[in-house]
């Protein structure tokens, strides 16, 4: 059975004896677990640069582990925190339509007047584990405390904001060494940021990977022996050549009937009152460069859609294939400057590691 990112905390909870949770992953027994997520470290990316991460590459790996779709941070972190698929929690992508207003929400910047607890109503698996007596905690960058995404994906869990890798290391050790049964989440953002700016095959990306590998090797060495280290990611990444960048604003015919474009370059949500016509038009133009589906055809990707959140997903969804992506120079100018991308359904973007140390 393929494990997905929403299976991780239920598996940890089940391994720690929490009733009502199922260990899909098959974790080794332990007093506690530290689940450390490295943003952007896809399994394919790690394998291709194994020489720069000897510690991580030498760990035991759970086979065939996937993110959900879209393979993007906001969706994956919310799936991780809630234990449910995107079609249930409704955090549909980096940018997403707010059905009640027709406006576009940036799920990182949280630039619409929305209560994140109402927007994402599912509780946290870690909060359920805490009620069963597990000592849960989240260790993350201090600047993310209180953000909309944190409220969607990590709320109701003690949050330890840190400002350096050394501080993170010390806090993780304190939490793991405390009496009882710890289950601790930690997050590292720099690899993803570097990939977007310089590319995931760049010397800069490899340098950050090496630093992360050293940090995690030190963490494993310092953790108590009865606390297992689990290392994972939210998605992988590809570098996109310039000739694969399709600017939809140069093809106005494709925008006929499209009320709003959301998502991101590798995975677009199109909102329209005429989905069949728009889908046919996009299929004709893009051909095999993208898979174009109607919302009703996307259960394989999103899971069953809760009617309460279905309107956040595109009436038409465009998943890029190969070295291709859909840009809008007017609506998403910043994306045009990036090198590394993710969000679509490819092996590189969706296959993630789950390493056991």
């Amino acid at each position: 059975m393929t494990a997905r990112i929403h299976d991780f905390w239920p598996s940890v909870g089940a391994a720690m004896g929490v009733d009502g949770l199922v260990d899909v992953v098959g974790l080794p027994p332990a007093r506690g677990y530290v689940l450390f997520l490295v943003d952007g470290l896809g399994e394919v990316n790690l394998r291709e640069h194994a020489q720069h991460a000897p510690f991580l590459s030498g760990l035991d790996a759970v086979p065939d582990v996937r993110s959900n779709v879209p393979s993007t941070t906001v969706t994956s972190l919310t799936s991780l925190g809630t234990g449910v698929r995107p079609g249930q929690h409704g955090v549909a992508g980096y940018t997403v339509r707010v059905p009640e207003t027709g406006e576009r929400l940036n799920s990182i910047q949280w630039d619409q007047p929305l209560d994140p607890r109402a927007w994402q109503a599912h509780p946290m698996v870690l909060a359920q584990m805490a009620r069963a007596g597990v000592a849960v905690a989240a260790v993350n960058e201090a600047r993310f405390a209180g953000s909309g995404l944190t409220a969607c994906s990590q709320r109701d869990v003690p949050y330890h904001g840190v400002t350096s890798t050394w501080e993170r290391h010390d806090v993780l050790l304190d939490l793991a060494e405390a009496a009882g049964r710890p289950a601790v989440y930690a997050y590292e953002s720099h690899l993803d940021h570097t990939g977007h700016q310089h590319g995931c095959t760049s010397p800069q990306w490899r340098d950050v990977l090496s630093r992360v590998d050293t940090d995690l090797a030190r963490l494993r060495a310092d953790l108590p022996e009865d606390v297992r280290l689990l290392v994972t990611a939210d998605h992988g990444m590809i570098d996109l050549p310039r000739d694969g960048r399709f600017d939809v604003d140069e093809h106005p015919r494709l925008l006929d009937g499209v009320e709003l474009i959301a998502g991101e370059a590798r995975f677009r949500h199109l909102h329209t009152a005429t989905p069949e016509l728009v889908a046919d038009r996009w299929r004709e133009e893009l051909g095999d460069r993208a898979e174009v589906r109607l919302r009703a055809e996307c259960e394989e990707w999103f899971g069953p859609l809760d009617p309460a959140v279905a309107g956040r997903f595109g009436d038409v969804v465009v998943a890029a294939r190969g070295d291709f992506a859909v840009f809008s120079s007017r609506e998403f100018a910043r994306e045009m400057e990036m090198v590394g991308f993710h969000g679509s359904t490819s092996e590189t973007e969706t296959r993630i590691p789950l390493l056991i140390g």
Side-chain angles (χ1 to χ4, degrees):
M1 178 178 179
T2 298
R4 292 183 177 270
I5 194 167
H6 60 272
D7 296 317
F8 294 173
W9 279 128
S11 295
V12 170
M16 300 182 78
V18 177
D19 291 340
L21 299 178
V22 177
D23 184 0
V24 173
V25 172
L27 293 172
R31 177 177 66 88
Y33 299 84
V34 172
L35 177 59
F36 196 109
L37 188 142
V38 182
D39 196 325
L41 182 60
E43 190 273 338
V44 174
N45 303 118
L46 176 60
R47 181 164 19 99
E48 290 178 346
H49 299 278
Q51 70 273 28
H52 299 282
F55 168 71
L56 293 175
S57 300
L59 294 178
D60 291 336
V62 177
D64 194 25
V65 179
R66 301 295 180 121
S67 70
N68 279 310
V69 176
S71 51
T72 198
T73 299
V74 296
T75 305
S76 289
L77 295 190
T78 307
S79 288
L80 175 67
T82 60
V84 300
R85 297 189 69 180
Q88 296 296 299
H89 63 63
V91 180
Y94 174 64
T95 64
V96 58
R97 178 178 178 265
V98 181
E100 294 77 10
T101 66
E103 298 296 321
R104 187 168 49 222
L105 168 71
N106 184 306
S107 302
I108 296 287
Q109 298 173 3
W110 210 263
D111 52 359
Q112 294 295 322
L114 297 168
D115 177 359
R117 286 176 169 265
W119 181 255
Q120 196 300 97
H122 286 268
M124 302 296 107
V125 179
L126 281 176
Q128 178 182 350
M129 292 167 61
R131 292 192 293 272
V134 177
V136 306
V139 181
N140 207 332
E141 296 179 41
R143 64 192 175 101
F144 297 147
S147 73
L149 178 58
T150 296
C152 286
S153 63
Q154 298 170 48
R155 67 171 177 259
D156 301 326
V157 175
Y159 189 98
H160 298 260
V162 298
T163 57
S164 70
T165 56
W166 285 103
E167 184 182 7
R168 181 180 65 201
H169 182 88
D170 291 344
V171 171
L172 287 172
L173 291 184
D174 288 344
L175 293 168
E177 290 169 352
R181 299 180 295 156
V184 184
Y185 168 69
Y187 174 80
E188 163 61 54
S189 66
H190 293 92
L191 191 70
D192 181 73
H193 291 166
T194 303
H196 284 306
Q197 182 178 2
H198 299 287
C200 60
T201 58
S202 65
Q204 296 92 330
W205 190 90
R206 293 193 292 267
D207 287 345
V208 175
L209 176 61
S210 294
R211 291 200 298 272
V212 170
D213 188 70
T214 299
D215 291 341
L216 289 172
R218 183 171 60 248
L219 178 62
R220 174 60 275 176
D222 292 346
L223 282 171
E225 291 185 2
D226 58 358
V227 173
R228 302 306 294 256
L229 174 64
L230 308 176
V231 181
T232 190
D234 49 351
H235 56 75
M237 184 173 282
I238 68 165
D239 290 348
L240 194 67
R242 290 291 165 184
D243 59 5
R245 298 169 184 240
F246 181 90
D247 187 354
V248 69
D249 296 323
E250 298 177 357
H251 302 266
R253 174 174 170 269
L254 295 183
L255 298 175
D256 287 347
V258 175
E259 299 163 4
L260 187 78
I261 299 178
E264 54 200 286
R266 290 281 293 171
F267 198 89
R268 286 292 181 209
H269 295 275
L270 309 179
H271 295 273
T272 174
T274 56
E276 291 84 1
L277 289 175
V278 168
D280 287 345
R281 198 176 295 132
W282 281 68
R283 289 187 187 113
E284 179 185 358
E285 178 68 37
L286 300 185
D288 60 5
R289 294 178 292 178
E291 186 167 1
V292 180
R293 294 188 181 186
L294 300 175
R295 181 194 296 154
E297 301 168 336
C298 292
E299 184 169 323
E300 170 195 353
W301 291 343
F302 307 141
L305 283 176
D306 182 339
V309 302
R312 304 175 191 178
F313 296 83
D315 300 292
V316 177
V317 176
V318 181
R321 293 172 171 159
D323 294 332
F324 180 76
V326 176
F327 294 81
S328 170
S329 53
R330 286 197 295 264
E331 299 284 343
F332 303 101
R334 183 173 174 272
E335 285 184 331
M336 306 287 287
E337 303 169 2
M338 290 163 44
V339 179
F341 293 85
H342 53 79
S344 196
T345 61
S346 72
E347 290 273 315
T348 302
E349 291 158 285
T350 62
R351 189 178 288 276
I352 56 176
L354 183 57
L355 311 173
I356 302 175

